[in-house]
Amino acid sequence: MKRFVKQGFVSGLALSAALIAGAAWAKDDITIAMQLEPPHLDPTSAAAQAIDSVVYVNIFEGLTRFMGDGSIVPALAESWEISEDGTVYTFKLHEGVTFHDGSSMDAEDVKFSLDRARAEDSANAQKALFAGIDSVDVVDPLTVRVTLTEPNGNFLFNMAWGDAVIVAPESIENIKTAPVGTGPYTFGEWVQGDKIVLNRNTGYWGDPPALAQATFKFISDPTAAFAAMMAEDVDVFTGFPAPENLPQFEADPRFQVLVGSTEGETILSTNNKQAPFDNVKVRQAMAHAIDRQAIIDGAMFGYGTPIGTHFAPHNPAYVDLTGNSAYDPDKAKALLAEAGLPDGFETTLHLPPPSYARRGGEIIAAQLAEVGIKAEIINVEWAQWLETVFKGKNFGLTIVSHTEPMDIGIYARPEYYFQYDNPAFQELMTTLNSTTDPDKRTELMQQAQRIISEDYVNGYLFQLAALSVAKAGVQGLWANAPTAATDLSAISWSE
């Protein structure tokens, strides 16, 4: 052991203090908590937003990407050219991009990814995003040409979704448990039921991120979420599930609270093919039986914006249609009588784990009971919800927040889990996709909002707020959530 004379000892203390201060300043790891654990880590074959929350722009990247302000910017595509008729997109890829296994990322991988997503046997939850692609051709290793069957004003937007990330055929077999992408972070480990660890990709083609490591912790219980943050066991909690506790964090200088908007339309989703929900009068009756503000106040402690259709209120094309389904229990009872159900009926209400669903579901069940609709609450885990409700369509009612960006197009898919089949709406969406004029697109989007609102396809509740709690020194977190993501490359610790 080194021995110091008195002066050296004092110098040693000063040096130690400087090193400690430097270590604090140079903190380069972070622990981020989430309520839901992903079912697996392949964003191209599941609808679970928890997957994108971990892997989007961290492990996997697409040709384009969303930024925190909702803008679309180039990602793996350095630039692109669009033909005069709007049907051919020629993407120029960044040079020198490699996957985490060291293999190069080139036009062949782009072709593989897009062809896989649009294939007849594709498991992609958003397969419709790729339906308009006629062909994908490799021009040279860094150039790929995508030809559409008709112009699509949303195409670059669609390519920014997590469902459109670029993957490689060499690593696709193990993508669900050992994902290999091109992003600034590599997959480290997954302790099921506990955490996922990501490590900085030292060979990243873009700007190196500030954080060397990120750990995603999964804490489903709201009480445990509060305790973990207060004990400072985690640095950030995204989608904080206990909004009633936010005032305590706001009053504590150790923390910061971020309240923003999301793309999450929270709905009482209805199985439109199951009797009696195949009767529009029944769906309308349910809509008038629901007091949105009571749900927002009771389940979300005031955080949330009432909606009357499946469209985000912060979008310039939004139309306030809440008046179509104003709270009116007497009208609800009258509509049920007109539908031949004066005594109401019984159904099921499947509730996944998020607080908005479990807490909101209790309130909605009580409101429906007031007009004679008895909804049996069935609490399910996320994997069960995906299997039973989303895939199996074995449900009457459910509550879920659709966090995909501007996803009103799902109502043009009769096979989608709520099974709404309206040829006129489908034709409208086809027209919208082929329209590039901004004013005309706005007009069409507003028509679409009115159709599904007046058809009472689902019970439109509220736009989910983005609620995050973080330690005071964390900077770069997205306040808003234009897509499900935790962009680690934007996060660092303040000095």
Side-chain angles (χ1 to χ4, degrees):
M1 178 183 291
K2 277 190 179 178
R3 299 191 181 185
F4 296 90
V5 295
K6 185 175 181 181
Q7 292 164 323
F9 180 67
V10 173
S11 300
L13 285 176
L15 177 61
S16 297
L19 288 172
I20 291 170
W25 174 79
K27 182 173 173 61
D28 64 355
D29 67 301
I30 199 165
T31 299
I32 299 173
M34 300 165 39
Q35 190 177 24
L36 297 179
E37 181 173 15
H40 58 74
L41 297 177
D42 177 12
T44 68
S45 66
Q49 69 156 353
I51 300 173
D52 277 359
S53 294
V54 173
V55 307
Y56 183 78
V57 302
N58 295 326
I59 291 179
F60 291 112
E61 300 172 300
L63 294 172
T64 60
R65 59 157 290 178
F66 291 103
M67 297 298 288
D69 61 1
S71 60
I72 307 295
V73 300
L76 293 177
E78 183 179 65
S79 61
W80 51 81
E81 294 179 359
I82 307 173
S83 64
E84 286 189 12
D85 66 357
T87 62
V88 180
Y89 287 71
T90 303
F91 293 95
K92 186 70 175 178
L93 306 178
H94 278 282
E95 189 173 358
V97 179
T98 59
F99 286 99
H100 300 152
D101 60 6
S103 61
S104 62
M105 191 288 299
D106 58 25
E108 292 286 356
D109 297 302
V110 176
K111 177 176 172 55
F112 169 77
S113 300
L114 298 184
D115 283 349
R116 173 175 174 263
R118 68 193 186 95
E120 187 174 340
D121 61 350
S122 169
N124 197 295
Q126 302 297 336
K127 188 177 177 181
L129 294 175
F130 313 93
I133 296 177
D134 182 62
S135 63
V136 183
D137 300 299
V138 173
V139 178
D140 61 50
L142 293 178
T143 311
V144 62
R145 182 173 60 244
V146 180
T147 303
L148 308 180
T149 55
E150 60 185 357
N152 186 340
N154 267 348
F155 185 65
L156 293 174
F157 179 89
N158 293 348
M159 292 300 98
W161 284 45
D163 308 81
V165 296
I166 304 306
V167 295
E170 295 85 356
S171 56
I172 200 67
E173 184 177 347
N174 298 315
I175 188 173
K176 291 186 175 182
T177 55
V180 174
T182 59
Y185 288 88
T186 63
F187 173 72
E189 67 168 333
W190 186 357
V191 180
Q192 295 278 347
D194 181 24
K195 64 182 180 180
I196 292 173
V197 178
L198 305 186
N199 299 311
R200 182 163 54 201
N201 175 14
T202 56
Y204 184 54
W205 62 272
D207 295 332
L211 299 173
Q213 187 176 82
T215 300
F216 288 89
K217 293 278 291 182
F218 309 113
I219 304 174
S220 60
D221 180 68
T223 302
F226 173 70
M229 278 305 309
M230 289 300 290
E232 300 187 65
D233 293 335
V234 298
D235 301 312
V236 178
F237 207 118
T238 61
F240 189 70
E244 66 272 21
N245 297 135
L246 292 181
Q248 290 172 261
F249 290 111
E250 289 174 327
D252 192 326
R254 295 178 298 161
F255 302 105
Q256 55 180 310
V257 174
L258 285 75
V259 179
S261 62
T262 77
E263 292 295 318
E265 290 82 24
T266 306
I267 63 175
L268 177 65
S269 197
T270 307
N271 192 336
N272 280 241
K273 276 195 174 179
Q274 183 184 97
F277 304 121
D278 54 353
N279 185 331
V280 67
K281 287 188 181 294
V282 172
R283 301 196 300 269
Q284 184 180 3
M286 285 199 309
H288 288 296
I290 294 169
D291 183 347
R292 294 185 186 89
Q293 196 59 51
I295 298 164
I296 294 170
D297 292 341
M300 301 304 297
F301 291 80
Y303 294 99
T305 304
I307 56 173
T309 188
H310 197 111
F311 214 75
H314 55 261
N315 191 300
Y318 176 73
V319 182
D320 184 358
L321 298 169
T322 51
N324 284 347
S325 48
Y327 178 53
D328 189 340
D330 290 336
K331 186 173 184 178
K333 292 176 183 177
L335 284 163
L336 285 174
E338 288 177 30
L341 296 166
D343 299 321
F345 60 93
E346 296 182 2
T347 188
T348 58
L349 176 58
H350 285 69
L351 301 178
S355 298
Y356 66 76
R358 294 279 171 89
R359 294 176 174 183
E362 297 283 348
I363 298 169
I364 286 176
Q367 292 177 351
L368 293 177
E370 289 293 320
V371 301
I373 301 173
K374 301 175 183 64
E376 177 193 359
I377 290 178
I378 302 173
N379 290 330
V380 293
E381 294 307 308
W382 187 240
Q384 293 174 285
W385 188 92
L386 289 170
E387 193 64 32
T388 304
V389 178
F390 189 77
K391 292 181 181 178
K393 305 178 180 66
N394 183 18
F395 74 105
L397 301 170
T398 187
I399 300 176
V400 68
S401 191
H402 282 258
T403 57
E404 295 83 4
M406 205 174 73
D407 59 347
I408 196 169
I410 58 180
Y411 288 76
R413 295 157 55 182
E415 78 285 356
Y416 202 62
Y417 78 101
F418 47 69
Q419 302 187 91
Y420 174 62
D421 190 355
N422 182 339
F425 186 88
Q426 293 155 25
E427 184 178 349
L428 180 65
M429 284 294 103
T430 299
T431 303
L432 174 64
N433 287 337
S434 62
T435 300
T436 56
D437 177 74
D439 291 338
K440 183 62 177 175
R441 286 182 59 82
T442 294
E443 181 185 331
L444 292 169
M445 285 187 281
Q446 292 179 340
Q447 286 182 34
Q449 292 173 61
R450 291 188 176 94
I451 289 173
I452 61 172
S453 177
E454 292 165 8
D455 264 359
Y456 301 93
V457 183
N458 293 308
Y460 301 109
L461 305 177
F462 59 90
Q463 198 73 15
L464 191 68
L467 306 176
S468 296
V469 180
K471 290 182 180 176
V474 179
Q475 57 188 14
L477 289 167
W478 286 10
N480 299 319
T483 191
T486 309
D487 185 0
L488 294 174
S489 66
I491 300 173
S492 62
W493 289 92
S494 61
E495 297 183 13

